[in-house]
Amino acid sequence: MSLWGGRFAEETDRLMREFSSSIQIDSKMWAVDLKVSTAHTRMLAAQGILSAADGEKIVAGLEEIGAEIASGKWKFNPEAEDIHGEIEGRLFEKIGDAAKRMHTARSRNDQVVTDTRLYLKEHVEVLIDGIKELQQDLLLHAESHRETLLPGMTHLQHAQPVSLAHHLLAYFWMFQRDSARLQESLPRILSLPLGAAALAGTGFPLDRQRVARDLQFLEVAPNSLDAVSDRDFVIEFLANASICMMHLSRLCEELILWSAPEFAFIELGDAVTTGSSIMPQKKNPDAAELIRGRVGRVYGALMGSLTMMKALPLSYNRDMQEDKVHLFSGLETVTASVKLMSLMFKNIQWKTDNMAQALRGDFSNATDLADDLVEKGKTFREAHHIVGQLVQWCIKNGKILEDLSVEDLKAGGDPAFDKISAAKLAHKTVMAARRSEGGTSPEAVQLQLEKAKKVL
Ligand code: ARG
């Protein structure tokens, strides 16, 4: 039985039925739909809108349907209009006429968005847990690499040495903000639309606060038109997910580069790499590439949902059925990507000798030489120029900064250089010198690690 057939004399065209059906997408929400219907029914019964007997029958029937779906005993008709109608139809088969009272003082418009909010809340919590686990993985590696040298880059050119711990912790903080954004969005997700009915509220004496408490929403949506017709919580989630994917993609890019033989800073384990069907020697960082590639899905979902909502008049429009296509695509992609990234960090081997080797002769200790001249009385601009010329001198003479003798420093650079200057050139010393709060020295990183553990 359709939910709305009375007004119609003829059948809906098959093409229209197929185009309009959303059950393939919204059947994911069966469990929250049962919870929402149960809370609604209990409230109706408590308010005397339904008889206690009908209320009990409905609640028991919904519970049975939940068990049937979970065990696979009952399967939805894949051609049905949506999950909400399917469940109501099944309830009628089980308990008869009482089922027809469940939809009192409710519309699919407030039902569907209540389901979506509840579903999103449950899955945002799972995503936050996934991000926490990834942060834990990063912390674990950072703890054992406070002294491991890595070329710090700008423009993908060697800039100044940093520790591997410092580099990994940079991502820790990105993910910390991602998880904070998701956490902060929860109160906006948990605003209860149910009770808005189709758009204008209802004449039945509802207790919306009770339903909110029952479903653990934090407030009752204050305007019925807004309640049924806004989807900003979907857009906000997809924006947050997009930012998180952007962060993941940067980390992916580095893992891909670092796996290349030209870097050879890491080897990803067999569990997260794949081979080639033709080249027997290959071991490819596909996991990182796949995540990087899937960023497009999430950005696409964000753009899709923004576009879907643009210029829609109040209140509900069927366009909005598309919200779940975008939401679920973004949600599943970001959640799986975070998990896979975490798995990569459980299957990573650091080639720390290659990192150190890459630093040799890279001039990433030049800033320290300029700083040394400043300490000896030069202005920074003068010092910068002198060291720039010294680098040129080294390149011309086939020398590298860390091997220069005091005589070399004087000849190619400035007479003011001395033993103290030469002693500053080891990359380890360069890294250790950056003791400012938030800097890369092992002591500063230790403080950062402690801060990171505290926020986690
Ligand atoms: N499947 C629909 C959706 O997700 C349910 C709402 C239908 N409401 C309507 N007025 N046709 O949006």
Side-chain angles (χ1 to χ4, degrees), residues 128-182:
I128 292 174
D129 285 347
I131 295 175
K132 281 216 169 96
E133 182 169 343
L134 173 57
Q135 287 178 292
Q136 218 118 41
D137 296 326
L138 290 169
L139 261 186
L140 210 67
H141 289 291
E143 283 200 297
S144 43
H145 289 288
R146 280 183 309 133
E147 311 263 349
T148 304
L149 287 163
L150 178 79
M153 311 244 187
T154 60
H155 316 270
L156 205 59
Q157 304 286 323
H158 289 210
Q160 292 173 349
V162 294
S163 71
L164 177 56
H166 196 49
H167 195 102
L168 295 176
L169 286 171
Y171 285 102
F172 175 94
W173 296 111
M174 293 178 224
F175 295 128
Q176 182 59 31
R177 293 190 295 277
D178 291 340
S179 123
R181 263 186 287 275
L182 291 167

Side-chain angles (χ1 to χ4, degrees), residues 22 26 81-82 84 108-109 112 316 318 320-321 324:
S22 59
D26 58 34
E81 184 177 330
D82 63 22
H84 321 290
R108 267 184 307 164
N109 297 349
V112 79
Y316 178 84
R318 192 66 184 277
M320 291 171 185
Q321 178 166 294
K324 289 168 286 297

Side-chain angles (χ1 to χ4, degrees), residues 43 169 190 236 268 286 307 332 362 364 408:
M43 180 275 292
L169 286 171
L190 291 173
E236 182 179 1
L268 291 167
D286 290 33
T307 311
E332 279 156 33
D362 72 344
S364 66
D408 287 336

